[in-house]
Amino acid sequence: MHDVLKALDSLRRPRLLIRAARIGAAEYRRDAHLRRHFGYGALPRSAAALARLVEMEEALNEQRQIGTGGYSATRHVEILIAMMGEARILRSAHAA
């Protein structure tokens, strides 16, 4: 868990993406947001969800950097929102 959070803290992305994700993270609802990315069924725990989200985000960032036609800035922001929301859940559970 600490490795994923540490990697998240060191994440460097364009300011506009991060700013948009921070705004969206204020309204993060785990059930609705994660279902959009993981589909239906049982949702993984926060640590597992965050690890999967990090992988998804890395793939999106690679598409962004290469400039492929399939890149979606909207999807990238949605994944960043979910990452921030899950990280907040993990940190609050760890602090408690």
Side-chain angles (χ1 to χ4, degrees):
M1 174 184 80
H2 294 290
D3 294 338
V4 175
L5 290 175
K6 192 177 226 180
L8 191 60
D9 289 339
S10 65
L11 196 68
R12 298 291 173 245
R13 299 296 182 257
R15 277 191 225 165
L16 185 59
L17 285 176
I18 297 300
R19 191 176 311 157
R22 281 187 181 140
I23 291 168
E27 301 295 321
Y28 180 71
R29 288 179 301 136
R30 186 174 204 275
D31 192 53
H33 284 89
L34 284 186
R35 292 218 186 277
R36 197 174 312 155
H37 306 299
F38 296 151
Y40 293 97
L43 293 174
R45 292 178 169 232
S46 289
L50 185 55
R52 285 176 55 191
L53 288 165
V54 166
E55 291 174 6
M56 295 165 81
E57 192 279 332
E58 286 174 350
L60 283 167
N61 193 56
E62 190 173 306
Q63 289 178 358
R64 178 186 67 80
Q65 290 175 329
I66 293 171
T68 61
Y71 172 73
S72 169
T74 303
R75 178 142 171 82
H76 200 163
V77 170
E78 289 176 350
I79 294 291
L80 288 168
I81 289 169
M83 287 171 58
M84 289 177 183
E86 291 300 310
R88 184 177 23 187
I89 291 168
L90 274 175
R91 286 184 174 118
S92 67
H94 184 67

